[in-house]
């Protein structure tokens, strides 16, 4: 690889085999070097590929303004996340997480304490990502010496949810809040759902997937099974009424609504979990 630009002593810009610009990290990789110098493979610790040009520029600008250790700990956290979550992560996670770490540390230094919204909901609905967030807070303290509030784990977890699904932070918060709202409405009718437990977590996962569809995707227009539709409404009237109540709430609060097929599925899910707890 050939150095195209020096970002700091440990980070340079270059190009991959396809001619795309990349960011290259290595300890002391740019010390005493200049544009046009050749890098050996042994000098390179990590290559960051960010497809979006605006995000790539933002990433490079960020690296100029922060200590190199921030990127190093971010990379370590992301490596842990890839193993823990066992899934592909959007490349922008290197930008968003490093930027978040920088911002969180700056808040800490300035004595600013921000309440993390829906920390309990994030821990419940995204447990694996929350574990990553917890590990991130520990690594930031261990590597950088900054003891962030434990609630910061939830904010970091959201970045990994975004990276998994390729969505924006605000959409993840909406999905989390919508899931929590629906669960609260149902819990008022099914007392056992207020308790912690595997069955509640399983049901919450179904709610989360439904919330993702409502926020992120257009409904699939399929012809509804009229016989099943009539059977569900006639045999599970209380559960159907609860489904309609939640659908009305979601429509008013979030400007989206269930399809007829989703109403059927949701009613059956409520019936199943109600039988377990009632």
């Amino acid at each position: 690889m050939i150095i195209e630009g020096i970002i700091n002593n440990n980070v340079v810009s270059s190009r991959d085999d396809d001619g795309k610009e990349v960011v290259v990290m290595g300890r002391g990789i740019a010390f005493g070097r200049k544009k046009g110098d050749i890098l050996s493979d042994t000098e390179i610790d990590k290559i960051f590929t960010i497809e979006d040009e605006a995000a790539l520029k933002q990433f490079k600008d960020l690296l100029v303004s922060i200590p190199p250790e921030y990127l190093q700990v971010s990379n370590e956290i992301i490596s842990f996340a890839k193993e823990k979550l066992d899934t592909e992560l959007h490349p922008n996670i290197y930008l968003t997480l490093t930027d978040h770490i920088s911002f969180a540390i700056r808040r800490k230094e300035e004595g600013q304490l921000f309440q993390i919204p829906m920390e309990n909901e994030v821990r419940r609905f995204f447990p694996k990502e929350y574990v990553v967030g917890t590990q991130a807070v520990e690594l930031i303290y261990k590597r950088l010496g900054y003891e962030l509030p434990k609630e910061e784990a939830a904010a970091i977890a959201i970045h990994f949810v975004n990276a998994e699904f390729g969505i924006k932070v605000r959409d993840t918060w909406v999905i989390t809040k919508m899931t929590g709202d629906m669960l609260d409405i149902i819990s008022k009718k099914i007392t056992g759902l207020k308790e912690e437990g595997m069955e509640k977590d399983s049901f919450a996962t179904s709610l989360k997937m439904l919330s993702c569809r409502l926020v992120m995707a257009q409904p699939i227009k399929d012809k509804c099974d009229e016989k099943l539709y009539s059977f569900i409404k006639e045999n599970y009237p209380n559960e159907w009424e609860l489904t309609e109540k939640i659908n009305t709430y979601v429509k008013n609060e979030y400007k989206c609504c269930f399809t007829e097929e989703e109403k059927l599925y949701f009613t059956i899910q409520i019936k199943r979990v109600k039988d377990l707890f009632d």
Side-chain angles (χ1 to χ4, degrees):
M1 281 187 162
I2 298 175
I3 296 177
E4 288 209 349
I6 294 176
I7 298 174
N8 58 46
N9 277 341
N10 301 290
V11 185
V12 301
S13 62
S14 184
R15 294 199 177 268
D16 62 16
D17 294 339
D18 296 323
K20 294 180 180 178
E21 186 176 3
V22 295
V23 173
V24 182
M25 182 176 72
R27 186 175 297 277
I29 197 170
F31 184 74
R33 311 294 281 274
K34 63 183 183 299
K35 181 178 179 179
D37 285 352
I38 298 175
L39 300 173
S40 66
D41 292 342
T42 57
E43 296 178 279
I44 298 172
D45 293 332
K46 179 71 178 179
I47 298 175
F48 303 94
T49 302
I50 299 179
E51 298 290 340
D52 182 82
E53 290 186 8
L56 178 61
K57 183 182 184 304
Q58 188 180 352
F59 187 44
K60 292 192 296 182
D61 290 344
L62 173 66
L63 296 181
V64 170
S65 64
I66 64 172
E69 292 79 14
Y70 289 13
L71 177 59
Q72 291 167 358
V73 75
S74 179
N75 183 51
E76 188 173 350
I77 293 166
I78 293 168
S79 295
F80 172 79
K82 287 180 177 178
E83 182 177 345
K84 178 68 178 177
L85 302 176
D86 191 27
T87 188
E88 290 293 324
L89 299 174
H90 195 284
N92 279 7
I93 185 64
Y94 291 100
L95 165 62
T96 60
L97 181 61
T98 307
D99 186 47
H100 180 87
I101 290 172
S102 175
F103 182 56
I105 290 175
R106 188 162 65 250
R107 291 202 318 264
K108 175 72 173 180
E109 290 177 330
E110 295 173 354
Q112 298 179 10
L113 297 177
F114 295 157
Q115 186 176 5
I116 306 298
M118 297 179 286
E119 192 264 345
N120 289 332
E121 287 86 349
V122 173
R123 186 174 66 249
R124 167 52 62 86
F125 303 143
F126 304 105
K128 290 184 179 180
E129 292 82 359
Y130 188 83
V131 169
V132 173
T134 301
Q135 178 70 6
V137 171
E138 293 177 1
L139 281 172
I140 290 168
Y141 177 63
K142 184 177 180 180
R143 302 284 189 261
L144 305 176
Y146 290 96
E147 187 173 5
L148 301 179
K150 64 180 182 63
E151 292 81 8
E152 195 68 39
I156 292 174
I158 288 296
H159 283 287
F160 284 99
V161 175
N162 300 340
E164 286 179 278
F165 293 99
I167 58 180
K168 298 178 180 179
V169 171
R170 64 175 178 268
D171 291 328
T172 306
W173 285 122
V174 170
I175 289 167
T176 304
K177 185 176 186 303
M178 183 188 295
T179 304
D181 289 348
M182 289 193 291
L183 192 59
D184 285 344
I185 293 172
I186 298 169
S187 294
K188 292 176 182 178
K189 297 292 184 179
I190 306 175
T191 306
L193 270 181
K194 296 179 181 178
E195 306 299 328
E196 302 286 329
M198 184 174 63
E199 289 299 338
K200 181 178 178 180
D201 289 343
S202 176
F203 184 61
T205 298
S206 296
L207 295 181
K208 181 178 67 179
M209 293 301 101
L210 178 57
S211 298
C212 285
R213 203 291 297 163
L214 291 169
V215 173
M216 299 303 304
Q218 291 296 320
I220 298 174
K221 295 183 179 180
D222 269 337
K223 185 177 180 180
C224 184
D225 186 326
E226 294 296 335
K227 290 184 178 179
L228 179 60
Y229 190 82
S230 299
F231 177 85
I232 294 296
K233 289 184 67 175
E234 292 174 6
N235 289 274
Y236 308 132
N238 294 331
E239 292 81 3
W240 180 263
E241 182 181 352
L242 185 52
T243 294
E244 290 284 20
K245 180 178 180 180
I246 294 170
N247 187 44
T248 299
Y249 175 82
V250 168
K251 186 175 182 179
N252 292 335
E253 188 73 15
Y254 297 99
K255 312 307 176 188
C256 54
C257 58
F258 300 170
T259 64
E260 295 304 309
E261 291 79 6
E262 284 168 340
K263 286 183 183 180
L264 294 179
Y265 170 77
F266 199 60
T267 302
I268 293 171
Q269 289 292 308
I270 292 174
K271 172 61 177 174
R272 181 187 65 81
V273 78
K274 186 177 180 182
D275 288 345
L276 288 171
F277 288 107
D278 283 1

